[in-house]
Amino acid sequence: MRIEWLLALRFLKEGRAQTFFMLGGVTMGVGVIVFLTALITGLQRSIIDKTLGTQAHVVMRMPDDEARRIIKPDSVRTVSANIERRAQRLSSILQWQQVMRELEKRTEVTAVSPLVAGPSFAIRGNATKSVALMGIDQEKYTRIVPMASFMKEGEFRISANDAAVGTDLARELGVTLGDKIRLQTADGRSETITVAGIFDVGIRDLNRRWVFITLRSAQNLLDLVGGVSSIDVTVRELFKAEVIGQQLARQTGLTAESWMKTNAQLMVGLKSQSASSYMIQFFVIISVAFGITSVLVVSVIQKSREVGILRAMGCSRRRIRNIFLLQGGLVGLVGSLLGSGLGTLLVTFFASTAKNPDGTPIFPVVLEPGMFLIAAGVATVTGILAAAAPAVRAAKLDPVVAIRNV
Amino acid sequence: MSDMNNILQLSDVRKVYGNDGITTEVLHGIDLTLQRGEFTALIGPSGSGKSTLLNIIGLLEQPTSGVIRVQGQETGTLADEELTRLRGRSIGFVFQFHHLIPAFTALENVMMPLMLEAGRPTPQQRERATALLTRVGLADRLDFKPAKLSGGQQQRVAIARALAADPPLILADEPTGNLDTAAADEIFKLLYEVNQESGTTFLIITHDPRLAHRCRRVVELVDGRIVG
Ligand SMILES: Nc1ncnc2c1ncn2[C@@H]1O[C@H](COP(=O)(O)OP(=O)(O)O)[C@@H](O)[C@H]1O
Ligand SMILES: [Mg+2]
């Protein structure tokens, strides 16, 4: 072991109460930070999970002007007629298979799914409800929204006959599994489907409006044969959705809307929550640093005789400085390990006490190994920085003063 | 006498304390040469500047003017780092209040100059420190912390420590000043024996005329001047 380490460790061991208080300060500081981070990470993750449970990360659509151009082609009709048509008609992505293949090639993209969505009526007996048709490729869509996990009755099985509706729609129409529903659009196209599954995605409005059918049925009903209205995309890194979306838009000529844009309000909330958490952490770190500094300043004064002796025996100023910097760093490192333990204890205790009636934790805390590494790094650096002033002071001590004054 | 035998050479060393307003000149032009193997007492009344002179010789303090040569090397031009290294290699200290490091055992205190030189402890250092502590009669106190040792024993540890790096010059500032007569006699005897065995040069400040008379050379300092 190098002599600096030997001296730093021995001085720490000798200054029992002082070392204890410094370690206590770091331990509590790191404990609070670990706890706070786990709590906020958990809260944010569960909010995002809930939000994205029923959403793609990026939705690709036809840009407005493109839509106009596609509809326009062979007509020399008036512009006003054009606008009128656009308002009613869904804009469709025509070469969607090719676009999908392009998107699937990108490594940042984890899943791609075509969607034909549009308004319709669901009719059963006397009851008529306005619904949103969701024409999907079952296999591809479930890789984006895990519908199987939302099923209350039956299964998520979408085929020429079989469809899935939400719990609220089922109740309003009075249907159960195996019952038939007629879907009819405004321009008179209609088709009859059988309820093969009833889902609850946790959002009332969607439970009331979503009707899942095949891509082909939706294309027929919505007069979009050969096209789709949008392409859903999920990406590997959630918070890069916006950036990746813009890249995909440039690549395909489609527009891209990321979940971050769609949920701008939520993003603002998450960001300000993070910001306030960082601020608290910052002040905790500052106060821990002040604690270390003030204890070490006293320790340097108490150790001035030892410092003088060491200097007389050939110990350089630089070495004296390093001995005190090391003490700060060691206190930071050991304190962060203890603090990580304390934080974990707090988190575990908190998660096990605050529970919903059904036994799930109210606060879904998340402890990540990376956080402990960061805590250890930050605490060590903080310790070293906090020790800087006392260390420089120790290095400047005049050995003669220390030796003369016993 | 060749220069090679001059362990230490001071010429016209002055020391002035205070810079603005009141200044006191404590040393008024000291010329002093110590030869290899000399055993010299530095005596003089309290406040005459003995400790100041010793600290300047020990490179702990800078003279206001004058030249100091340690083993022929002029020290005035050296930077702090180089002075520190030269001090670690060439000079051993024994202070009145023994100045051991309380957090370390007797053995570790003796190893300290060696550890500082090498950067880390080694088994050879341990061996040498054990041998030195055995030499000063503390073979059975190796792992004692200073607080568990008597004043005489602590001073023996300090002497062993001063010898550890085998420096050519050992400076002692009233090494027996804090001990009773019997212990003082023993410490003085130990210093003399070491001088005889190893040929290390000693400069010893003492108040005690009895001890001074047992030294082969006596330098007397009065009011910052060497008078004899
Ligand atoms: N740092 C200092 N500043 C001012 N005066 C000092 C300082 N150190 C010592 N002195 C003065 O120098 C004189 C000599 O002191 P010192 O060398 O300790 O004498 P001695 O060891 O012979 O008793 C004394 O008058 C003392 O007050
Ligand atoms: Mg003195």
Side-chain angles (χ1 to χ4, degrees):
Chain A
M1 194 188 324
R2 286 198 61 84
I3 184 70
E4 289 91 338
W5 286 82
L6 191 68
L7 282 159
L9 284 171
R10 204 57 77 83
F11 282 172
L12 282 174
K13 195 175 150 207
E14 195 198 15
R16 277 183 209 133
Q18 293 173 338
T19 308
F20 176 81
F21 283 120
M22 287 194 289
L23 273 179
V26 179
T27 301
M28 279 185 248
V30 171
V32 166
I33 288 175
V34 164
F35 178 68
L36 198 66
T37 309
L39 191 62
I40 289 195
T41 310
L43 281 174
Q44 296 201 341
R45 192 161 299 178
S46 94
I47 290 170
I48 291 170
D49 280 353
K50 267 191 197 125
T51 308
L52 292 182
T54 53
Q55 272 184 25
H57 297 169
V58 180
V59 178
M60 314 286 304
R61 286 197 185 84
M62 214 59 187
D64 285 350
D65 53 335
E66 286 289 310
R68 199 175 307 149
R69 206 163 47 92
I70 289 165
I71 296 158
K72 216 196 284 182
D74 51 359
S75 76
V76 208
R77 284 175 219 155
T78 57
V79 176
S80 69
N82 226 338
I83 290 166
E84 198 188 328
R85 280 201 74 179
R86 194 163 66 88
Q88 289 184 347
R89 216 195 132 116
L90 293 160
S91 30
S92 136
I93 304 170
L94 287 176
Q95 271 115 22
W96 60 275
Q97 278 105 336
Q98 194 192 323
V99 172
M100 292 225 342
R101 272 194 297 277
E102 270 181 54
L103 296 179
E104 275 163 351
K105 266 189 224 147
R106 298 192 60 125
T107 49
E108 316 88 304
V109 172
T110 52
V112 180
S113 170
L115 178 68
V116 177
S120 166
F121 295 105
I123 303 164
R124 163 140 175 114
N126 295 332
T128 301
K129 295 286 163 193
S130 166
V131 296
L133 295 180
M134 302 283 282
I136 57 159
D137 174 325
Q138 179 181 341
E139 193 225 319
K140 289 194 161 71
Y141 187 77
T142 47
R143 267 192 267 148
I144 294 200
V145 179
M147 287 305 297
S149 65
F150 297 134
M151 298 315 288
K152 283 284 158 213
E153 288 175 55
E155 54 183 321
F156 192 70
R157 187 181 69 233
I158 309 301
S159 69
N161 293 316
D162 297 327
V165 299
T167 46
D168 291 272
L169 183 63
R171 203 184 49 248
E172 285 168 4
L173 291 177
V175 294
T176 55
L177 290 182
D179 287 349
K180 291 195 184 324
I181 297 175
R182 195 156 64 84
L183 300 171
Q184 185 174 323
T185 55
D187 55 0
R189 295 157 189 270
S190 79
E191 210 163 289
T192 300
I193 49 130
T194 307
V195 177
I198 298 174
F199 59 80
D200 175 6
V201 294
I203 300 169
R204 195 76 182 263
D205 190 48
L206 300 183
N207 288 344
R208 185 176 287 152
R209 293 174 52 80
W210 273 1
V211 176
F212 285 99
I213 55 178
T214 62
L215 213 51
R216 183 168 295 277
S217 300
Q219 285 169 334
N220 286 334
L221 282 167
L222 297 167
D223 191 18
L224 272 180
V225 175
V228 297
S229 50
S230 62
I231 297 176
D232 286 349
V233 177
T234 54
V235 294
R236 212 172 293 279
E237 286 180 74
L238 215 48
F239 287 95
K240 287 200 178 153
E242 178 61 29
V243 180
I244 295 170
Q246 292 317 313
Q247 290 171 3
L248 298 182
R250 271 197 299 280
Q251 185 186 351
T252 58
L254 301 174
T255 64
E257 194 172 35
S258 71
W259 72 274
M260 297 154 86
K261 272 266 175 63
T262 325
N263 303 279
Q265 205 66 25
L266 173 68
M267 287 304 291
V268 171
L270 293 180
K271 275 195 187 128
S272 52
Q273 191 184 42
S274 295
S276 61
S277 143
Y278 288 143
M279 192 127 95
I280 294 170
Q281 296 184 25
F282 176 75
F283 284 114
V284 168
I285 290 170
I286 292 288
S287 59
V288 167
F290 279 155
I292 294 177
T293 305
S294 54
V295 172
L296 279 181
V297 164
V298 174
S299 159
V300 165
I301 294 166
Q302 292 175 336
K303 290 272 181 320
S304 57
R305 201 168 66 100
E306 276 98 322
V307 169
I309 299 165
L310 287 169
R311 298 270 294 119
M313 285 189 292
C315 186
S316 66
R317 288 186 193 279
R318 193 147 47 93
R319 214 169 232 174
I320 295 287
R321 187 198 64 200
N322 290 346
I323 289 164
F324 282 90
L325 289 180
L326 264 175
Q327 291 184 56
L330 282 167
V331 164
L333 181 65
V334 174
S336 75
L337 298 182
L338 295 175
S340 293
L342 176 70
T344 308
L345 264 176
L346 278 176
V347 165
T348 318
F349 177 73
F350 196 73
S352 68
T353 351
K355 279 196 168 148
N356 288 318
D358 65 356
T360 56
I362 293 177
F363 298 103
V365 288
V366 174
L367 282 168
E368 284 172 329
M371 180 180 61
F372 294 120
L373 281 179
I374 292 173
V378 169
T380 308
V381 171
T382 303
I384 292 172
L385 291 179
V392 167
R393 193 169 168 164
K396 279 191 185 148
L397 278 178
D398 184 351
V400 175
V401 173
I403 287 164
R404 273 192 195 252
N405 306 322
V406 177
Chain B
M1 257 167 256
S2 78
D3 246 11
M4 280 301 289
N5 273 333
N6 290 350
I7 292 296
L8 178 80
Q9 209 172 7
L10 303 189
S11 31
D12 199 23
V13 165
R14 288 170 195 278
K15 181 68 182 178
V16 180
Y17 282 117
N19 29 31
D20 39 41
I22 316 139
T23 60
T24 24
E25 185 157 323
V26 179
L27 298 174
H28 312 276
I30 304 286
D31 295 305
L32 178 68
T33 303
L34 293 182
Q35 310 265 305
R36 186 176 298 280
E38 263 189 322
F39 195 75
T40 307
L42 179 60
I43 61 168
S46 186
S48 57
K50 303 183 297 294
S51 294
T52 306
L53 181 60
L54 200 82
N55 290 336
I56 286 175
I57 292 171
L59 310 177
L60 290 171
E61 222 169 329
Q62 299 273 9
T64 309
S65 69
V67 177
I68 301 161
R69 285 199 178 80
V70 176
Q71 292 186 288
Q73 158 117 55
E74 201 185 316
T75 60
T77 53
L78 297 180
D80 191 69
E81 289 275 309
E82 297 165 310
L83 281 178
T84 302
R85 213 169 307 129
L86 182 62
R87 180 166 64 235
R89 264 204 315 271
S90 314
I91 300 164
F93 291 92
V94 181
F95 299 102
Q96 177 176 3
F97 296 97
H98 16 81
H99 286 318
L100 299 176
I101 301 181
F104 290 83
T105 64
L107 189 72
E108 290 164 334
N109 265 286
V110 176
M111 286 167 72
M112 192 59 72
L114 300 172
M115 292 194 286
L116 288 168
E117 173 80 26
R120 53 165 50 80
T122 67
Q124 293 92 307
Q125 294 168 6
R126 191 166 288 273
E127 264 170 45
R128 171 150 179 83
T130 307
L132 285 167
L133 281 170
T134 307
R135 167 66 191 84
V136 300
L138 291 175
D140 55 346
R141 295 286 186 276
L142 300 182
D143 296 322
F144 282 49
K145 294 270 176 74
K148 292 264 188 274
L149 299 172
S150 73
Q153 288 171 333
Q154 288 185 49
Q155 201 58 301
R156 285 166 188 276
V157 176
I159 291 167
R161 182 180 66 186
L163 291 168
D166 199 18
L169 175 63
I170 289 182
L171 305 174
D173 194 344
E174 303 194 34
T176 60
N178 211 28
L179 302 176
D180 60 48
T181 320
D185 278 348
E186 274 184 45
I187 290 298
F188 202 82
K189 198 167 135 244
L190 178 61
L191 292 176
Y192 189 74
E193 282 168 9
V194 169
N195 167 255
Q196 295 298 302
E197 289 162 16
S198 61
T200 309
T201 312
F202 278 81
L203 181 63
I204 304 165
I205 297 178
T206 180
H207 260 124
D208 191 336
R210 257 182 348 107
L211 298 179
H213 284 122
R214 283 158 62 179
C215 293
R216 268 180 297 168
R217 180 178 168 198
V218 178
V219 174
E220 189 174 4
L221 201 62
V222 177
D223 287 340
R225 287 194 176 79
I226 289 177
V227 296

mmCIF file with all atom_site columns, all heavy atoms in Angstrom, chain A residues 404, chain B residues 45-52 54-55 96 173-174 205 207, ligand 2:
data_model
loop_
_atom_site.group_PDB
_atom_site.id
_atom_site.type_symbol
_atom_site.label_atom_id
_atom_site.label_alt_id
_atom_site.label_comp_id
_atom_site.label_asym_id
_atom_site.label_entity_id
_atom_site.label_seq_id
_atom_site.pdbx_PDB_ins_code
_atom_site.Cartn_x
_atom_site.Cartn_y
_atom_site.Cartn_z
_atom_site.occupancy
_atom_site.B_iso_or_equiv
_atom_site.pdbx_formal_charge
_atom_site.auth_seq_id
_atom_site.auth_comp_id
_atom_site.auth_asym_id
_atom_site.auth_atom_id
_atom_site.pdbx_PDB_model_num
ATOM   1   N  N   . ARG A 1 404 ? 8.031  23.659 16.877 1.00 0.00 ? 404 ARG A N   1
ATOM   2   C  CA  . ARG A 1 404 ? 8.381  24.521 18.008 1.00 0.00 ? 404 ARG A CA  1
ATOM   3   C  C   . ARG A 1 404 ? 7.284  24.542 19.073 1.00 0.00 ? 404 ARG A C   1
ATOM   4   O  O   . ARG A 1 404 ? 7.566  24.483 20.256 1.00 0.00 ? 404 ARG A O   1
ATOM   5   C  CB  . ARG A 1 404 ? 8.599  25.953 17.530 1.00 0.00 ? 404 ARG A CB  1
ATOM   6   C  CG  . ARG A 1 404 ? 10.004 26.218 17.060 1.00 0.00 ? 404 ARG A CG  1
ATOM   7   C  CD  . ARG A 1 404 ? 10.165 27.711 16.893 1.00 0.00 ? 404 ARG A CD  1
ATOM   8   N  NE  . ARG A 1 404 ? 11.347 28.053 16.133 1.00 0.00 ? 404 ARG A NE  1
ATOM   9   C  CZ  . ARG A 1 404 ? 12.430 28.593 16.692 1.00 0.00 ? 404 ARG A CZ  1
ATOM   10  N  NH1 . ARG A 1 404 ? 12.463 28.815 17.986 1.00 0.00 ? 404 ARG A NH1 1
ATOM   11  N  NH2 . ARG A 1 404 ? 13.460 28.907 15.952 1.00 0.00 ? 404 ARG A NH2 1
ATOM   12  N  N   . PRO B 2 45  ? 22.525 30.316 26.418 1.00 0.00 ? 45  PRO B N   1
ATOM   13  C  CA  . PRO B 2 45  ? 21.342 30.650 27.206 1.00 0.00 ? 45  PRO B CA  1
ATOM   14  C  C   . PRO B 2 45  ? 20.055 30.555 26.383 1.00 0.00 ? 45  PRO B C   1
ATOM   15  O  O   . PRO B 2 45  ? 20.102 30.571 25.158 1.00 0.00 ? 45  PRO B O   1
ATOM   16  C  CB  . PRO B 2 45  ? 21.595 32.095 27.643 1.00 0.00 ? 45  PRO B CB  1
ATOM   17  C  CG  . PRO B 2 45  ? 22.687 32.602 26.783 1.00 0.00 ? 45  PRO B CG  1
ATOM   18  C  CD  . PRO B 2 45  ? 23.438 31.446 26.266 1.00 0.00 ? 45  PRO B CD  1
ATOM   19  N  N   . SER B 2 46  ? 18.963 30.448 27.112 1.00 0.00 ? 46  SER B N   1
ATOM   20  C  CA  . SER B 2 46  ? 17.659 30.378 26.456 1.00 0.00 ? 46  SER B CA  1
ATOM   21  C  C   . SER B 2 46  ? 17.425 31.641 25.635 1.00 0.00 ? 46  SER B C   1
ATOM   22  O  O   . SER B 2 46  ? 17.730 32.737 26.093 1.00 0.00 ? 46  SER B O   1
ATOM   23  C  CB  . SER B 2 46  ? 16.577 30.227 27.531 1.00 0.00 ? 46  SER B CB  1
ATOM   24  O  OG  . SER B 2 46  ? 15.336 30.019 26.921 1.00 0.00 ? 46  SER B OG  1
ATOM   25  N  N   . GLY B 2 47  ? 16.933 31.482 24.439 1.00 0.00 ? 47  GLY B N   1
ATOM   26  C  CA  . GLY B 2 47  ? 16.658 32.638 23.579 1.00 0.00 ? 47  GLY B CA  1
ATOM   27  C  C   . GLY B 2 47  ? 17.852 33.098 22.780 1.00 0.00 ? 47  GLY B C   1
ATOM   28  O  O   . GLY B 2 47  ? 17.783 34.084 22.050 1.00 0.00 ? 47  GLY B O   1
ATOM   29  N  N   . SER B 2 48  ? 18.971 32.370 22.864 1.00 0.00 ? 48  SER B N   1
ATOM   30  C  CA  . SER B 2 48  ? 20.173 32.801 22.147 1.00 0.00 ? 48  SER B CA  1
ATOM   31  C  C   . SER B 2 48  ? 20.127 32.433 20.666 1.00 0.00 ? 48  SER B C   1
ATOM   32  O  O   . SER B 2 48  ? 20.998 32.854 19.902 1.00 0.00 ? 48  SER B O   1
ATOM   33  C  CB  . SER B 2 48  ? 21.415 32.187 22.807 1.00 0.00 ? 48  SER B CB  1
ATOM   34  O  OG  . SER B 2 48  ? 21.301 30.782 22.820 1.00 0.00 ? 48  SER B OG  1
ATOM   35  N  N   . GLY B 2 49  ? 19.163 31.618 20.246 1.00 0.00 ? 49  GLY B N   1
ATOM   36  C  CA  . GLY B 2 49  ? 19.013 31.296 18.826 1.00 0.00 ? 49  GLY B CA  1
ATOM   37  C  C   . GLY B 2 49  ? 19.434 29.887 18.454 1.00 0.00 ? 49  GLY B C   1
ATOM   38  O  O   . GLY B 2 49  ? 19.595 29.577 17.269 1.00 0.00 ? 49  GLY B O   1
ATOM   39  N  N   . LYS B 2 50  ? 19.581 29.007 19.472 1.00 0.00 ? 50  LYS B N   1
ATOM   40  C  CA  . LYS B 2 50  ? 20.048 27.638 19.207 1.00 0.00 ? 50  LYS B CA  1
ATOM   41  C  C   . LYS B 2 50  ? 19.061 26.876 18.314 1.00 0.00 ? 50  LYS B C   1
ATOM   42  O  O   . LYS B 2 50  ? 19.449 26.279 17.302 1.00 0.00 ? 50  LYS B O   1
ATOM   43  C  CB  . LYS B 2 50  ? 20.242 26.871 20.531 1.00 0.00 ? 50  LYS B CB  1
ATOM   44  C  CG  . LYS B 2 50  ? 21.195 27.527 21.515 1.00 0.00 ? 50  LYS B CG  1
ATOM   45  C  CD  . LYS B 2 50  ? 21.401 26.695 22.748 1.00 0.00 ? 50  LYS B CD  1
ATOM   46  C  CE  . LYS B 2 50  ? 20.149 26.479 23.588 1.00 0.00 ? 50  LYS B CE  1
ATOM   47  N  NZ  . LYS B 2 50  ? 19.620 27.728 24.203 1.00 0.00 ? 50  LYS B NZ  1
ATOM   48  N  N   . SER B 2 51  ? 17.784 26.913 18.708 1.00 0.00 ? 51  SER B N   1
ATOM   49  C  CA  . SER B 2 51  ? 16.780 26.168 17.935 1.00 0.00 ? 51  SER B CA  1
ATOM   50  C  C   . SER B 2 51  ? 16.663 26.720 16.527 1.00 0.00 ? 51  SER B C   1
ATOM   51  O  O   . SER B 2 51  ? 16.544 25.970 15.559 1.00 0.00 ? 51  SER B O   1
ATOM   52  C  CB  . SER B 2 51  ? 15.419 26.226 18.634 1.00 0.00 ? 51  SER B CB  1
ATOM   53  O  OG  . SER B 2 51  ? 15.482 25.529 19.853 1.00 0.00 ? 51  SER B OG  1
ATOM   54  N  N   . THR B 2 52  ? 16.729 28.057 16.437 1.00 0.00 ? 52  THR B N   1
ATOM   55  C  CA  . THR B 2 52  ? 16.653 28.671 15.115 1.00 0.00 ? 52  THR B CA  1
ATOM   56  C  C   . THR B 2 52  ? 17.791 28.170 14.234 1.00 0.00 ? 52  THR B C   1
ATOM   57  O  O   . THR B 2 52  ? 17.586 27.778 13.081 1.00 0.00 ? 52  THR B O   1
ATOM   58  C  CB  . THR B 2 52  ? 16.728 30.202 15.254 1.00 0.00 ? 52  THR B CB  1
ATOM   59  O  OG1 . THR B 2 52  ? 15.723 30.626 16.172 1.00 0.00 ? 52  THR B OG1 1
ATOM   60  C  CG2 . THR B 2 52  ? 16.525 30.890 13.914 1.00 0.00 ? 52  THR B CG2 1
ATOM   61  N  N   . LEU B 2 54  ? 19.481 25.408 14.550 1.00 0.00 ? 54  LEU B N   1
ATOM   62  C  CA  . LEU B 2 54  ? 19.302 23.981 14.252 1.00 0.00 ? 54  LEU B CA  1
ATOM   63  C  C   . LEU B 2 54  ? 18.268 23.773 13.143 1.00 0.00 ? 54  LEU B C   1
ATOM   64  O  O   . LEU B 2 54  ? 18.463 22.951 12.241 1.00 0.00 ? 54  LEU B O   1
ATOM   65  C  CB  . LEU B 2 54  ? 18.875 23.234 15.522 1.00 0.00 ? 54  LEU B CB  1
ATOM   66  C  CG  . LEU B 2 54  ? 19.127 21.732 15.465 1.00 0.00 ? 54  LEU B CG  1
ATOM   67  C  CD1 . LEU B 2 54  ? 20.577 21.436 15.820 1.00 0.00 ? 54  LEU B CD1 1
ATOM   68  C  CD2 . LEU B 2 54  ? 18.187 20.984 16.390 1.00 0.00 ? 54  LEU B CD2 1
ATOM   69  N  N   . ASN B 2 55  ? 17.184 24.541 13.202 1.00 0.00 ? 55  ASN B N   1
ATOM   70  C  CA  . ASN B 2 55  ? 16.137 24.404 12.175 1.00 0.00 ? 55  ASN B CA  1
ATOM   71  C  C   . ASN B 2 55  ? 16.631 24.859 10.817 1.00 0.00 ? 55  ASN B C   1
ATOM   72  O  O   . ASN B 2 55  ? 16.236 24.306 9.789  1.00 0.00 ? 55  ASN B O   1
ATOM   73  C  CB  . ASN B 2 55  ? 14.889 25.189 12.577 1.00 0.00 ? 55  ASN B CB  1
ATOM   74  C  CG  . ASN B 2 55  ? 14.170 24.548 13.760 1.00 0.00 ? 55  ASN B CG  1
ATOM   75  O  OD1 . ASN B 2 55  ? 14.321 23.348 13.996 1.00 0.00 ? 55  ASN B OD1 1
ATOM   76  N  ND2 . ASN B 2 55  ? 13.421 25.340 14.511 1.00 0.00 ? 55  ASN B ND2 1
ATOM   77  N  N   . GLN B 2 96  ? 13.041 17.630 21.397 1.00 0.00 ? 96  GLN B N   1
ATOM   78  C  CA  . GLN B 2 96  ? 12.883 17.538 22.849 1.00 0.00 ? 96  GLN B CA  1
ATOM   79  C  C   . GLN B 2 96  ? 11.641 16.738 23.222 1.00 0.00 ? 96  GLN B C   1
ATOM   80  O  O   . GLN B 2 96  ? 11.661 15.901 24.097 1.00 0.00 ? 96  GLN B O   1
ATOM   81  C  CB  . GLN B 2 96  ? 12.798 18.949 23.435 1.00 0.00 ? 96  GLN B CB  1
ATOM   82  C  CG  . GLN B 2 96  ? 12.559 18.948 24.934 1.00 0.00 ? 96  GLN B CG  1
ATOM   83  C  CD  . GLN B 2 96  ? 12.572 20.360 25.500 1.00 0.00 ? 96  GLN B CD  1
ATOM   84  O  OE1 . GLN B 2 96  ? 12.706 21.330 24.769 1.00 0.00 ? 96  GLN B OE1 1
ATOM   85  N  NE2 . GLN B 2 96  ? 12.445 20.454 26.808 1.00 0.00 ? 96  GLN B NE2 1
ATOM   86  N  N   . ASP B 2 173 ? 17.519 18.551 19.281 1.00 0.00 ? 173 ASP B N   1
ATOM   87  C  CA  . ASP B 2 173 ? 17.209 19.779 20.016 1.00 0.00 ? 173 ASP B CA  1
ATOM   88  C  C   . ASP B 2 173 ? 16.777 19.415 21.429 1.00 0.00 ? 173 ASP B C   1
ATOM   89  O  O   . ASP B 2 173 ? 15.651 18.983 21.650 1.00 0.00 ? 173 ASP B O   1
ATOM   90  C  CB  . ASP B 2 173 ? 16.109 20.555 19.282 1.00 0.00 ? 173 ASP B CB  1
ATOM   91  C  CG  . ASP B 2 173 ? 15.979 21.985 19.806 1.00 0.00 ? 173 ASP B CG  1
ATOM   92  O  OD1 . ASP B 2 173 ? 16.501 22.261 20.907 1.00 0.00 ? 173 ASP B OD1 1
ATOM   93  O  OD2 . ASP B 2 173 ? 15.347 22.808 19.121 1.00 0.00 ? 173 ASP B OD2 1
ATOM   94  N  N   . GLU B 2 174 ? 17.675 19.586 22.359 1.00 0.00 ? 174 GLU B N   1
ATOM   95  C  CA  . GLU B 2 174 ? 17.436 19.231 23.765 1.00 0.00 ? 174 GLU B CA  1
ATOM   96  C  C   . GLU B 2 174 ? 16.797 17.850 23.895 1.00 0.00 ? 174 GLU B C   1
ATOM   97  O  O   . GLU B 2 174 ? 15.702 17.718 24.444 1.00 0.00 ? 174 GLU B O   1
ATOM   98  C  CB  . GLU B 2 174 ? 16.553 20.294 24.431 1.00 0.00 ? 174 GLU B CB  1
ATOM   99  C  CG  . GLU B 2 174 ? 17.205 21.675 24.314 1.00 0.00 ? 174 GLU B CG  1
ATOM   100 C  CD  . GLU B 2 174 ? 16.557 22.702 25.232 1.00 0.00 ? 174 GLU B CD  1
ATOM   101 O  OE1 . GLU B 2 174 ? 16.123 22.296 26.328 1.00 0.00 ? 174 GLU B OE1 1
ATOM   102 O  OE2 . GLU B 2 174 ? 16.500 23.879 24.846 1.00 0.00 ? 174 GLU B OE2 1
ATOM   103 N  N   . ILE B 2 205 ? 21.799 20.123 20.830 1.00 0.00 ? 205 ILE B N   1
ATOM   104 C  CA  . ILE B 2 205 ? 21.558 21.267 21.704 1.00 0.00 ? 205 ILE B CA  1
ATOM   105 C  C   . ILE B 2 205 ? 21.301 20.739 23.104 1.00 0.00 ? 205 ILE B C   1
ATOM   106 O  O   . ILE B 2 205 ? 20.517 19.800 23.284 1.00 0.00 ? 205 ILE B O   1
ATOM   107 C  CB  . ILE B 2 205 ? 20.323 22.069 21.245 1.00 0.00 ? 205 ILE B CB  1
ATOM   108 C  CG1 . ILE B 2 205 ? 20.566 22.645 19.846 1.00 0.00 ? 205 ILE B CG1 1
ATOM   109 C  CG2 . ILE B 2 205 ? 19.996 23.181 22.238 1.00 0.00 ? 205 ILE B CG2 1
ATOM   110 C  CD1 . ILE B 2 205 ? 19.388 23.421 19.294 1.00 0.00 ? 205 ILE B CD1 1
ATOM   111 N  N   . HIS B 2 207 ? 21.108 21.975 27.463 1.00 0.00 ? 207 HIS B N   1
ATOM   112 C  CA  . HIS B 2 207 ? 21.205 22.952 28.545 1.00 0.00 ? 207 HIS B CA  1
ATOM   113 C  C   . HIS B 2 207 ? 22.149 22.467 29.618 1.00 0.00 ? 207 HIS B C   1
ATOM   114 O  O   . HIS B 2 207 ? 22.612 23.226 30.446 1.00 0.00 ? 207 HIS B O   1
ATOM   115 C  CB  . HIS B 2 207 ? 19.818 23.087 29.202 1.00 0.00 ? 207 HIS B CB  1
ATOM   116 C  CG  . HIS B 2 207 ? 19.085 24.281 28.733 1.00 0.00 ? 207 HIS B CG  1
ATOM   117 N  ND1 . HIS B 2 207 ? 17.843 24.209 28.173 1.00 0.00 ? 207 HIS B ND1 1
ATOM   118 C  CD2 . HIS B 2 207 ? 19.426 25.590 28.736 1.00 0.00 ? 207 HIS B CD2 1
ATOM   119 C  CE1 . HIS B 2 207 ? 17.446 25.421 27.841 1.00 0.00 ? 207 HIS B CE1 1
ATOM   120 N  NE2 . HIS B 2 207 ? 18.388 26.273 28.170 1.00 0.00 ? 207 HIS B NE2 1
HETATM 121 MG MG  . MG  C 3 .   ? 15.339 26.062 21.847 1.00 0.00 ? 2   MG  C MG  1
#
